[in-house]
């Protein structure tokens, strides 16, 4: 008997019909002879709706109460799915994250899992029940308060439980057929990737491909959990996220596009240079104008931001103008941290001695990801040329070994993603990407 962990995202359980459809899938998996643990997200856009509601009551919702409110969303779908499953004649029991033993740090809104003690889940399975767990939530070890794990984090609940319980497979069910070479909502000719390595998936997720939560991929890599991303609306095989070289090699041969690496040193496998293009519209850019070009000034800026617990992404410092001895420092950060960052910098103004601050939340980030670019020259040139040909201006650039990212105007993101996707030969001849549901919110 295998242990199967399945996670169903918000669009899969958007309404009563969706919940009944998911219940049938869950029951089929159980009837095939498996133990089944299910993690669910809140129905449709419930989390956003609850956030809007809180915003109507107060402009600054207290984080503890916000977590109490938001976790109700996942609890609703867990209870409804248990009911629908029992209606099909199969025993099921729903659990909150806390009941399932998801123990976290105390940081509301962005808590980290520190331990999983799933004894109640293990006993439910032993009694023949399907266990249905509310995703995205846990309980703080120190304060005993209910916490949430960050937007999109039901994926992380699923992988963490799969790791803790030694599951045979962790299936992430969503509204597209797997991980594609770009967001199918922007590029209808995007290709499904049959298998992808943890490191490439990490870069895709970190660059905004929200099909998998970043921390879920980190967790899967650390504990060696094989993840199968697939659609709850079809029975097609999705994308395997794995470190298994055989799976990766077979998949590369079938998914590979026009861009191929040289068949070097008698290697059997043609290497895909690029795995995909990701985009992100959730960041803002702050420019600190007129910073004295002296040792210690950058440190003072970033110490102020670190003290306010701001996570930064790209950082750029210009060459100082010789005449003035002043320079500008720009960086990107989540839009949601914008106000806090500006406040922290205003406080440090006298210490740093800068002139002014500019805040811009109309930016977007476009990234090209591929392990093959490590050993392949000319990738940046082709990337920038593709942007230039469509008239998209580049405001910032950053690279890692297997990624190139640029910041552009937010309104240019779709054009840029399509141009880069085409320039690297990633378009499929036929439209194979189907978006089955969801609002893309
Ligand atoms: P769920 O509610 O199931 O967790 P999400 O909305 O969080 O679903 O993630 C699925 C969505 O991710 C897709 O509908 C798609 O628009 C988006 N997406 C972004 N990049 C990609 C990509 N490279 N491959 C597939 N989907 C992507
Ligand atoms: N419902 C939460 C969110 O919308 C968590 C999730 O869907 O994974 O962010
Ligand atoms: Mg998601």
């Amino acid at each position: 008997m295998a242990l199967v962990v399945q996670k169903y995202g918000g669009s899969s359980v958007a309404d009563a019909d969706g919940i009944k459809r998911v219940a049938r899938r869950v029951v089929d998996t159980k009837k095939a002879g498996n133990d089944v643990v299910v993690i669910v997200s809140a129905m449709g856009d419930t989390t956003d709706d609850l956030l809007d509601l809180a915003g109507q009551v107060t402009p600054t919702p207290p984080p503890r109460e916000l977590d109490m409110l938001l976790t109700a969303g996942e609890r609703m779908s867990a209870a409804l799915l248990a009911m629908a499953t029992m209606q099909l004649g199969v025993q099921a029991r729903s659990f909150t994250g806390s009941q399932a033993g998801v123990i976290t740090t105390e940081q509301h809104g962005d808590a980290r899992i520190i331990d999983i003690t799933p004894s109640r889940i293990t006993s439910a399975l032993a009694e023949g029940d399907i266990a249905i767990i509310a995703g995205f939530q846990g309980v703080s070890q120190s304060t005993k308060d209910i916490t949430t794990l960050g937007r999109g984090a039901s994926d992380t609940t699923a992988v963490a439980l799969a790791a803790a319980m030694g599951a045979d497979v962790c299936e992430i069910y969503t509204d597209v057929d797997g991980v594609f070479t770009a967001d199918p909502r922007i590029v209808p000719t995007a290709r499904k990737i049959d298998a992808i390595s943890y490191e490439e998936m990490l870069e895709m997720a970190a660059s905004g491909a929200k099909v998998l939560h970043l921390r879920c991929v980190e967790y899967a890599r650390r504990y060696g959990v094989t993840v199968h991303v697939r659609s709850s609306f079809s029975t097609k095989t999705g994308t395997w996220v794995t470190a298994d070289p055989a799976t990766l090699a077979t998949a590369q041969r079938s998914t590979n596009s026009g861009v191929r690496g040289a068949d070097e040193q008698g290697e059997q496998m043609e290497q895909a240079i690029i795995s995909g293009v990701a985009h992100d519209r959730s960041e803002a850019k702050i420019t600190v104008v007129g910073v004295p070009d002296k040792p210690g000034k950058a440190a003072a800026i970033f110490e102020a931001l670190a003290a306010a617990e701001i996570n930064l992404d790209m950082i750029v410092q210009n060459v100082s103008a010789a005449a003035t001895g002043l320079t500008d420092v720009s960086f990107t950060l989540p839009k949601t941290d914008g106000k806090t960052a500006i406040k922290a910098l205003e406080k440090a103004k006298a210490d740093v001695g800068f002139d002014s601050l500019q805040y811009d939340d109309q930016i977007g980030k476009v990234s090209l990801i591929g392990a093959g670019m490590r050993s392949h020259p000319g990738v940046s040139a082709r990337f920038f040329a593709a942007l230039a040909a469509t008239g998209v201006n580049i405001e910032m650039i950053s690279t890692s070994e297997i990624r190139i990212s640029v910041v552009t105007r937010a309104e240019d993101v779709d054009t840029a993603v399509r141009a880069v996707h085409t320039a690297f030969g990633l378009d499929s001849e036929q439209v194979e990407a189907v978006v089955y549901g969801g609002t893309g919110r």
Side-chain angles (χ1 to χ4, degrees):
M1 186 184 275
L3 171 59
V4 179
V5 171
Q6 301 186 325
K7 177 258 170 176
Y8 291 90
S11 47
S12 300
V13 292
D15 52 22
D17 283 340
I19 288 173
K20 289 195 233 172
R21 191 172 46 80
V22 166
R24 284 195 293 275
R25 272 196 105 113
V26 169
V27 164
D28 288 347
T29 313
K30 170 80 180 164
K31 288 197 171 153
N34 302 296
D35 274 340
V36 189
V37 173
V38 181
I39 285 82
V40 276
S41 291
M43 296 168 70
D45 290 334
T46 300
T47 309
D48 288 305
D49 296 342
L50 291 173
L51 274 169
D52 290 349
L53 196 57
Q56 289 168 33
V57 174
T58 162
T60 50
R64 180 188 183 278
E65 302 312 324
L66 197 56
D67 275 359
M68 282 297 275
L69 179 71
L70 296 186
T71 50
E74 266 67 14
R75 208 164 146 159
M76 280 167 62
S77 17
L80 288 165
L81 182 59
M83 291 177 200
T85 306
M86 285 189 273
Q87 180 61 29
L88 296 174
V90 175
Q91 268 312 112
R93 227 182 298 171
S94 65
F95 297 92
T96 64
S98 166
Q99 287 174 321
V102 181
I103 315 290
T104 74
T105 57
E106 62 188 58
Q107 200 185 355
H108 287 294
D110 195 24
R112 306 288 143 138
I113 297 176
I114 47 185
D115 196 11
I116 305 261
T117 51
S119 56
R120 294 197 62 187
I121 307 306
T122 317
S123 0
L125 295 181
E127 287 163 29
D129 286 5
I130 292 175
I132 300 175
I133 299 160
F136 166 67
Q137 55 183 276
V139 60
S140 155
Q141 191 169 49
S142 49
T143 63
K144 310 291 178 218
D145 280 329
I146 297 300
T147 52
T148 60
L149 308 173
R151 294 306 307 270
S154 293
D155 298 342
T156 301
T157 308
V159 171
L161 270 149
M165 302 189 68
D168 296 276
V169 62
C170 180
E171 299 180 325
I172 304 283
Y173 285 93
T174 184
D175 54 11
V176 287
D177 281 313
V179 181
F180 283 74
T181 48
D183 186 340
R185 285 178 206 270
I186 296 186
V187 185
T189 50
R191 290 168 185 248
K192 196 196 80 194
I193 301 171
D194 292 339
I196 185 167
S197 66
Y198 293 120
E199 61 170 349
E200 285 167 300
M201 194 61 232
L202 271 177
E203 292 279 5
M204 292 275 283
S207 308
K210 69 168 183 160
V211 62
L212 280 183
H213 191 235
L214 175 60
R215 291 203 331 262
C216 125
V217 189
E218 286 170 352
Y219 224 101
R221 177 169 69 168
R222 188 164 348 123
Y223 294 95
V225 178
T226 296
V227 176
H228 186 189
V229 184
R230 57 192 305 195
S231 167
S232 72
F233 299 82
S234 82
T235 51
K236 291 184 191 160
T237 303
T239 301
W240 293 95
V241 186
T242 177
D244 177 42
T247 313
L248 290 169
T250 323
Q252 273 187 347
R253 268 198 295 278
S254 70
T255 328
N256 208 347
S257 55
V259 189
R260 293 168 199 268
D263 199 357
E264 285 153 353
Q265 285 139 30
E267 258 185 69
Q268 300 299 308
M269 168 179 69
E270 289 186 76
Q271 201 189 11
I273 299 171
I274 301 303
S275 35
V277 186
H279 71 281
D280 191 349
R281 267 185 267 251
S282 68
E283 293 189 343
K285 178 172 82 171
I286 292 181
T287 303
V288 190
V289 182
V291 180
D293 191 9
K294 289 190 202 137
K297 293 301 175 188
I301 291 174
F302 294 109
E303 275 162 10
L305 294 165
E309 296 195 27
I310 310 274
N311 278 318
L312 304 176
D313 183 14
M314 290 190 200
I315 302 175
V316 171
Q317 180 182 316
N318 291 338
V319 179
S320 70
T324 59
L326 297 176
T327 180
D328 294 345
V329 176
S330 296
F331 59 87
T332 60
L333 75 173
K335 272 182 196 164
T336 44
D337 286 341
K339 272 190 203 153
T340 320
I342 294 285
K343 247 196 233 159
L345 288 171
E346 290 291 1
K347 238 173 80 188
K349 186 169 182 182
D351 188 22
V352 179
F354 62 82
D355 285 341
S356 60
L357 296 172
Q358 286 171 0
Y359 181 72
D360 180 355
D361 61 6
Q362 294 306 305
I363 61 157
K365 187 172 73 171
V366 177
S367 306
L368 183 71
I369 292 110
M373 69 171 77
R374 245 189 214 125
S375 53
H376 216 84
V379 173
S380 314
R382 199 192 291 203
F383 182 66
F384 299 145
L387 296 177
T390 46
V392 171
N393 190 41
I394 301 173
E395 299 183 13
M396 287 168 103
I397 302 173
S398 95
T399 58
S400 83
E401 254 201 316
I402 65 165
R403 177 187 48 78
I404 308 170
S405 304
V406 297
V407 167
T408 67
R409 288 290 88 208
E411 75 252 20
D412 287 342
V413 165
D414 289 8
T415 314
V417 169
R418 287 187 203 116
V420 173
H421 196 265
T422 303
F424 283 88
L426 296 171
D427 292 314
S428 67
E429 273 134 44
Q430 283 133 23
V431 172
E432 57 178 88
V434 183
V435 179
Y436 296 93
T439 57
R441 193 172 169 183

